[in-house]
């Protein structure tokens, strides 16, 4: 033949299928023969590589044999990349609580995996690794949906199971490690493996599941999403190896999967992926996935059959990515606790009728922060009339204060259930009938945990203290709003946390029962909204950024110093406190919104930022939730159930309850927070070197103190600025 242009390629069905799936034409094959890189293949075939595609033609270059993509190239990495990768792995080994997701990839490498029937890939095994590396690692790196706090463990199995690498962080080094597992053996070396697999029984699921269970156990904490991704091309051979009936082997596998599901609960996603010829038996994989769903553990699972199509394997991997991301977001946003059983609660429904339980009120208590205890209070609970949308006659209120209604009516069905408390509608009543209800509806809150029914009044102490301190900081924030250029005493929104009381009830079934009561917000009219939470979420968005490895090592290696008992609360604001500067810089450095429009919610986010700086980086109020009451003058954010992060020099944890995440919680807020115009005008920035002298205590602040105003409900028992102790105020201001 004089040249490739004269060659007539007689396309076989196999070659044509490959070209169609890749959207290639015969002309592409001719170009490859003319311009591509030529090498000798097995069985006297010729291999041409051109434009990312490998074409194989027969010895006479007259018949096309097949076509597939060139093997994925390794990512260009250098020594520094590998050092950073290894250092990140070392950090996560020492501090596994920093991991946000752990995926265990289990790949079948039995003899049947060398079959050449996956479109566009040399073998099934190469398809598994190539697609996983591209769709699971590369795609997430590009989309920034995975960072170096996400890790992967690889297990390969045939007759035995082996962990090839463990808890490797997401980066290009991991991508290269996955691609390095592709089978590089020649055709002749692979030729006899399929037959050997059929004879010896080379696909043992049970050992693979045991190895996967051990791997999942290595990182098991409440904020880490766990995923098991199991790839195989057919039925297991455990029954043949163990000498038991196939059904007995299948039962062992499903029981093992149920045990894994019960152990890890809603943190776990299981994806069973089968690929290969349709006549293969995937009933065991299907049963394993179904076994996970059958147990009431919260674990999610699915079986996906991919036939012999690479794009279906890609879809299966994409499903894994989606599930892992959703679980990770859920875990970051939820308040989780181990071994905490919740009470069975009946919730209100749209067509349910009100059914009331009536209890005599024995005591009315309020929390006295000055003496750190509850004290008896005469008169009405504040929430029964403060901020009421209807007007009560002063004479009526005076009489009720003198002789408060002796009963409280509590709905039998709750309208809200939280991590630790349930919320139920209630009214004060003069007798045990609906006609005797007095004043506005309130909310009764009490423990939702079976373990804490005997806590009674003391259960509410942390909630009261948290809400009291948040109220005081809101009061100070509102004072600072006076300095805004656009400030209008009737239009500028203010922050207010609901005052609360404790009512001790006479309940024969629950001696000493105490309920926290506060105003019931008009959610129907104003809509309930969570503006931020204690896990860094802002308006439902969560930041999933990379770990600062060197900073985490620095924190890990810090030497604990002995601090006097009374000195912990006296925070020294030194410019050398690099950690705090970094935290604020994360926020203010992403200040990109310079338009003049100020949204009402901007005040809430600025308030959380304000509490951090106003308290000398010691306290942050977050988990801001409630309603925006625009009918009040000024418009008011009526808020409840805040969380406080407390930065303790002595390493004390949960000072303000289970939702107190300390400095870690503060860090999460600043990773998501974007400074708005309110933040800028209040100079909530590390660039403001005069924050301590001019803004907090200087002439500008003193001028504003003369113009102080209180929230609309300040007339009741000292209003929202309740009895915060002098010592606490001194150290915060």
């Amino acid at each position: 033949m004089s040249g490739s242009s004269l060659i007539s390629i007689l396309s076989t069905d196999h070659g044509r299928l490959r070209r169609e799936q890749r959207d290639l034409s015969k002309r592409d094959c001719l170009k490859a023969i003319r311009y591509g890189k030529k090498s000798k293949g097995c069985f006297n075939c010729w291999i041409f590589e051109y434009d990312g595609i490998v074409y194989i033609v027969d010895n006479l270059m007259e018949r096309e044999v097949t076509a597939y993509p060139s093997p994925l190239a390794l990512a260009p990495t250098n020594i520094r990349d590998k050092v950073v990768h290894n250092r990140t792995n070392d950090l996560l080994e020492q501090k596994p609580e920093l991991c946000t997701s752990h995926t265990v990839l289990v790949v079948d490498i039995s003899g049947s995996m060398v079959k050449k029937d996956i479109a566009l890939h040399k073998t099934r095994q190469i398809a598994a690794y190539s697609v996983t590396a591209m769709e699971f690692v590369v795609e997430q790196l590009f989309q920034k949906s995975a960072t170096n706090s996400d890790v992967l463990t690889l297990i390969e199995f045939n007759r035995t199971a082996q962990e090839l690498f463990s808890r490797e962080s997401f980066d290009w080094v991991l991508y290269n490690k996955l691609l390095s597992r592709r089978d590089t053996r020649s055709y002749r070396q692979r030729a006899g493996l399929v037959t050997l697999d059929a004879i010896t029984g080379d696909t043992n699921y049970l050992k693979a599941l045991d190895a996967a269970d051990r791997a999942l156990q290595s990182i098991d904490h409440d904020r880490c999403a766990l995923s098991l991704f199991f790839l195989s091309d057919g039925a297991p051979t455990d029954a043949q190896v163990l000498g038991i009936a196939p059904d007995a082997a299948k039962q062992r596998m499903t029981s093992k999967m149920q045990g894994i599901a019960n152990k890890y609960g809603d943190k776990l996603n299981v994806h069973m992926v089968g690929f290969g010829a349709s006549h293969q038996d995937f009933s065991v994989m299907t049963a394993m996935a179904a076994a996970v769903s059958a147990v009431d553990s919260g674990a999610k699972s699915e079986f996906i059959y991919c036939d012999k199509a690479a794009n279906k394997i890609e879809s299966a991997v994409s499903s894994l990515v989606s599930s892992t991301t959703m679980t990770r977001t859920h875990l970051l946003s939820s308040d989780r606790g181990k071994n905490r059983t919740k009470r069975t609660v009946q919730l209100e429904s749209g067509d349910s009728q009100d059914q009331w339980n009536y209890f005599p009120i024995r005591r009315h208590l309020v929390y006295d922060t000055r003496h750190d205890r509850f004290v008896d209070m005469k008169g009405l609970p504040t929430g029964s009339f403060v901020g009421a949308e209807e007007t009560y006659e002063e004479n009526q209120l005076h009489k009720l204060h003198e002789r408060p209604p002796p009963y409280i009516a509590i709905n039998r069905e709750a309208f809200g259930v939280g991590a630790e408390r349930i919320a139920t509608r209630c009214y004060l009543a003069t007798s045990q009938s609906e006609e005797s209800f007095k004043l506005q509806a309130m909310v009764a809150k009490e423990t939702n945990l079976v373990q804490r029914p005997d806590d009674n009044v003391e259960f509410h102490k942390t909630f009261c203290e948290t809400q009291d301190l948040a109220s005081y900081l809101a009061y100070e924030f509102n004072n600072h709003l006076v300095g805004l250029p656009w400030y209008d005493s009737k239009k500028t929104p203010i922050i207010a946390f609901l005052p609360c009381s404790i009512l001790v009830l006479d309940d024969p079934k629950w001696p000493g029962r105490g309920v926290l009561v506060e105003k019931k917000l008009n959610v129907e009219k104003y809509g309930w909204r969570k503006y931020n939470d204690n896990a860094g979420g802002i308006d439902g968005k969560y930041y999933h950024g990379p770990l600062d490895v060197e900073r985490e090592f620095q924190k890990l290696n810090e030497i604990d110093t002995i601090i006097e008992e009374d000195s912990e609360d006296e925070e020294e604001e030194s410019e050398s406190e690099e950690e705090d500067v970094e935290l604020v810089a994360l926020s203010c450095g992403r200040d990109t919104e310079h338009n003049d429009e100020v949204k009402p919610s901007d005040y809430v986010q600025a308030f959380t930022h304000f509490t951090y700086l106003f308290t000398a980086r010691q306290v942050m109020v977050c988990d801001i939730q409630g309603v925006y009451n625009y009918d009040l003058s000024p418009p008011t954010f009526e808020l409840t159930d805040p969380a406080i992060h407390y930065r303790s020099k002595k390493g004390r944890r949960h000072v303000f309850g289970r939702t107190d995440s300390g400095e870690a919680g503060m860090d999460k807020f600043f990773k998501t927070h974007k400074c708005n115009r309110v933040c800028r005008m209040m100079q909530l920035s590390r660039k403001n070197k005069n924050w301590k002298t001019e803004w907090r205590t200087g002439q500008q602040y003193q001028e504003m103190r003369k113009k102080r105003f209180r929230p609309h409900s300040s007339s009741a028992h000292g209003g929202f600025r309740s009895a915060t102790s002098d010592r606490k105020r001194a150290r915060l201001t």
Side-chain angles (χ1 to χ4, degrees):
M1 296 183 183
S2 59
S4 59
S5 59
L6 301 178
I7 299 175
S8 175
I9 300 293
L10 303 176
S11 298
T12 62
D13 291 340
H14 182 266
R16 185 174 62 253
L17 173 64
R18 294 295 186 269
R19 286 193 284 103
E20 289 174 354
Q21 289 172 331
R22 187 68 181 177
D23 194 23
L24 303 172
S25 65
K26 185 181 292 187
R27 186 179 298 274
D28 295 315
C29 187
L30 293 173
K31 285 182 180 180
I33 294 174
R34 173 176 288 185
Y35 303 112
K37 180 181 176 182
K38 179 181 177 182
S39 61
K40 191 69 175 176
C42 57
F43 299 112
N44 294 322
C45 289
W46 289 102
I47 301 173
F48 292 90
E49 188 171 350
Y50 176 74
D51 195 23
I53 304 296
V54 174
Y55 298 88
I56 299 179
V57 298
D58 66 2
N59 185 44
L60 300 176
M61 291 189 289
E62 295 179 345
R63 183 179 297 274
E64 179 184 352
V65 177
T66 189
Y68 53 83
S70 299
L72 290 174
L74 297 177
T77 56
N78 52 37
I79 296 297
R80 183 181 180 280
D81 296 327
K82 295 177 181 178
V83 169
V84 171
H85 177 82
N86 292 334
R87 190 156 173 78
T88 304
N89 293 341
D90 290 342
L91 173 67
L92 297 177
E93 183 73 25
Q94 297 181 59
K95 300 183 70 174
E97 66 273 13
L98 295 178
C99 288
T100 52
S101 75
H102 180 201
T103 299
V104 177
L105 174 62
V106 183
V107 180
D108 182 355
I109 58 166
S110 60
S112 59
M113 288 289 285
V114 303
K115 289 183 178 179
K116 301 172 62 175
D117 57 1
I118 299 294
L120 305 178
H121 292 278
K122 188 178 273 189
T123 67
R124 295 177 180 180
Q125 191 260 15
I126 291 175
Y129 277 118
S130 298
V131 173
T132 303
M134 182 62 69
E135 298 300 324
F136 189 63
V137 179
V138 174
E139 188 67 19
Q140 291 199 81
L141 289 176
F142 283 154
Q143 297 296 331
K144 297 182 179 180
S145 58
T147 70
N148 58 357
S149 65
D150 302 293
V151 298
L152 183 140
T153 293
L154 173 64
I155 295 171
E156 292 182 345
F157 75 98
N158 43 30
R159 192 174 185 84
T160 61
Q162 182 180 5
E163 189 174 277
L164 274 299
F165 55 75
S166 176
R167 302 183 298 279
E168 297 279 341
S169 60
F170 265 66
D171 56 19
W172 292 105
V173 176
L174 172 62
Y175 167 77
N176 286 347
K177 285 193 172 188
L178 279 178
L179 289 187
S180 70
R181 297 307 308 165
R182 292 175 299 187
D183 194 347
T184 58
R185 290 172 296 184
S186 68
Y187 175 81
R188 289 186 175 88
Q189 291 173 315
R190 300 192 305 264
L193 294 178
V194 177
T195 304
L196 183 64
D197 177 44
I199 296 173
T200 62
D202 208 16
T203 312
N204 296 335
Y205 280 12
L206 284 171
K207 291 184 177 180
L209 294 177
D210 287 338
D213 190 10
R214 289 192 297 270
L216 290 169
Q217 249 177 350
S218 64
I219 299 181
D220 181 19
H221 64 83
D222 283 344
R223 302 290 181 182
C224 183
L226 302 175
S227 297
L228 174 58
F229 194 57
F230 194 100
L231 295 103
S232 182
D233 65 345
T237 56
D238 296 78
Q240 179 181 339
V241 173
L242 297 174
I244 60 177
D247 287 344
K250 180 178 179 181
Q251 178 62 39
R252 289 191 188 184
M253 295 172 206
T254 55
S255 296
K256 180 66 178 178
M257 290 304 302
Q258 288 182 336
I260 291 175
N262 284 322
K263 185 183 298 184
Y264 304 109
D266 63 349
K267 296 180 295 182
L268 179 65
N269 290 284
V270 176
H271 290 254
M272 294 283 171
V273 178
F275 54 97
S278 58
H279 66 267
Q280 294 290 337
D281 182 7
F282 294 104
S283 61
V284 174
M285 295 185 74
T286 305
M288 289 163 64
V292 173
S293 301
V295 296
D296 186 19
S297 65
K300 296 166 283 294
S301 68
E302 65 175 333
F303 168 74
I304 302 173
Y305 171 58
C306 299
D307 201 0
K308 293 183 284 187
N311 65 317
K312 292 186 178 181
I313 303 176
E314 293 173 4
S315 298
V317 176
S318 297
S319 176
L320 169 69
V321 172
S322 177
S323 299
T324 302
T325 301
M326 290 178 62
T327 301
R328 182 174 56 215
T329 301
H330 166 69
L331 295 178
L332 287 173
S333 62
S334 63
D335 180 24
R336 302 172 65 81
K338 293 184 178 180
N339 301 321
R340 303 170 70 88
T341 306
K342 294 185 178 181
R343 296 162 53 193
T344 302
V345 178
Q346 186 71 31
L347 293 175
E348 291 183 3
S349 59
D351 56 353
S352 61
Q353 299 293 321
D354 289 337
Q355 299 182 60
W356 303 94
N357 291 324
Y358 297 87
F359 303 97
I361 301 172
R362 294 308 180 201
R363 298 175 70 188
H364 172 203
L365 305 174
V366 295
Y367 182 64
D368 180 2
T369 314
R370 186 185 304 274
H371 300 100
D372 191 27
R373 67 182 184 184
F374 287 104
V375 296
D376 286 284
M377 176 66 67
K378 295 182 179 180
L380 296 168
T382 312
S384 65
F385 65 95
V386 168
E389 295 181 24
E390 57 181 294
T391 303
Y392 301 114
E393 295 181 2
E394 186 174 344
N395 186 44
Q396 179 191 13
L397 285 177
H398 179 74
K399 288 182 178 179
L400 289 172
H401 268 300
E402 291 295 323
R403 290 191 62 185
Y407 293 96
I408 183 172
I410 300 178
N411 201 315
R412 294 180 184 178
E413 297 179 338
F415 70 84
V417 179
E420 288 193 277
R421 298 192 289 179
I422 60 173
T424 314
R425 290 184 297 122
C426 67
Y427 284 91
L428 295 177
T430 55
S431 64
Q432 299 186 29
S433 66
E434 291 189 40
E435 292 74 19
S436 69
F437 288 179
K438 298 295 182 183
L439 304 177
Q440 67 179 350
M442 296 188 294
V443 174
K445 298 180 179 180
E446 54 191 335
T447 181
N448 185 32
L449 305 175
V450 171
Q451 287 86 352
R452 303 196 62 169
D454 297 328
D455 284 358
N456 297 323
V457 173
E458 284 302 309
F459 170 78
H460 303 290
K461 181 178 178 181
T462 300
F463 299 104
C464 292
E465 185 178 21
T466 299
Q467 201 136 318
D468 178 88
L469 180 54
S471 297
Y472 165 63
L473 292 172
Y475 171 75
E476 294 292 353
F477 175 78
N478 294 336
N479 289 338
H480 282 74
L481 294 178
V482 178
L484 295 175
W486 61 83
Y487 173 75
D488 185 320
S489 61
K490 295 182 178 180
K491 296 181 180 180
T492 301
I494 62 172
I495 305 290
F497 288 89
L498 299 179
C500 56
S501 303
I502 307 297
L503 299 182
V504 181
L505 311 181
D506 185 359
D507 184 351
K509 297 181 180 179
W510 189 343
R513 179 182 181 183
V515 295
L516 183 149
V517 294
E518 61 187 22
K519 171 188 174 181
K520 184 182 182 301
L521 298 174
N522 192 340
V523 178
E524 294 77 14
K525 181 176 182 180
Y526 303 112
W528 181 271
R529 183 172 175 183
K530 182 178 281 252
Y531 296 92
N532 60 45
D533 62 30
N534 62 319
I538 293 181
D539 289 330
K541 298 178 181 178
Y542 292 86
Y543 175 77
H544 181 52
L547 293 171
D548 186 335
V549 176
E550 296 309 316
R551 179 186 170 201
E552 292 295 339
F553 267 118
Q554 182 181 359
K555 290 164 63 177
L556 186 66
N557 297 327
E558 282 178 353
I559 300 176
D560 294 330
T561 57
I562 299 176
I563 302 173
E564 295 293 333
E565 181 68 26
D566 292 337
S567 66
E568 178 184 0
D569 297 327
E570 297 174 5
E571 182 74 17
E572 295 180 1
E573 293 186 81
S574 169
E575 294 298 330
S576 64
E577 294 184 46
E578 292 299 327
E579 287 186 6
D580 297 316
V581 170
E582 288 175 9
L583 285 175
V584 179
L586 282 169
S587 166
C588 299
R590 296 187 11 250
D591 176 11
T592 57
E593 296 183 356
H594 290 282
N595 57 64
D596 292 332
E597 181 182 358
V598 177
K599 304 185 295 294
S601 60
D602 290 345
Y603 291 90
V604 178
Q605 309 304 343
F607 167 69
T608 296
H609 194 167
F610 168 88
T611 60
Y612 172 75
L613 288 175
F614 184 78
T615 61
R617 309 177 179 95
Q618 191 176 355
V619 162
M620 175 183 283
V621 181
C622 57
D623 207 6
I624 309 297
Q625 54 193 312
V627 303
Y628 178 53
N629 190 335
Y630 46 77
D631 289 328
L632 294 174
S633 181
T636 302
F637 288 96
E638 296 183 297
L639 307 171
T640 184
D641 291 345
I644 288 181
H645 298 314
Y646 180 77
R647 182 171 176 256
S648 171
K649 278 188 174 182
K650 297 170 68 175
R652 291 191 296 158
R653 301 179 61 193
H654 306 306
V655 175
F656 284 90
R658 291 180 58 246
T659 55
D660 176 3
S661 299
E663 187 177 355
M666 298 174 177
D667 199 355
K668 288 179 180 178
F669 170 79
F670 282 120
K671 285 178 178 177
T672 316
H673 175 63
K674 182 184 294 184
C675 276
N676 54 57
R677 192 168 180 230
V678 179
C679 294
R680 294 196 299 273
M681 297 309 295
M682 295 185 75
Q683 304 177 47
L684 303 180
S685 169
R686 68 186 181 94
K687 298 177 182 179
N688 178 14
K689 302 299 183 182
N690 298 316
W691 167 261
K692 292 180 292 183
T693 57
E694 290 186 6
W695 188 246
R696 287 184 59 204
T697 59
Q699 182 177 359
Q700 184 181 18
Y701 182 46
Q702 295 301 327
E703 287 296 323
M704 287 187 295
R705 288 175 68 91
K706 299 176 183 179
K707 304 177 183 179
R708 278 189 169 179
F709 61 90
R710 293 174 181 267
H712 65 279
S713 58
S714 60
S715 60
H717 307 310
F720 292 115
R721 187 185 184 185
S722 52
T724 308
S725 69
D726 292 339
R727 183 171 180 270
K728 181 183 290 183
R729 289 180 182 174
R731 77 170 186 257
L732 295 181
T733 60

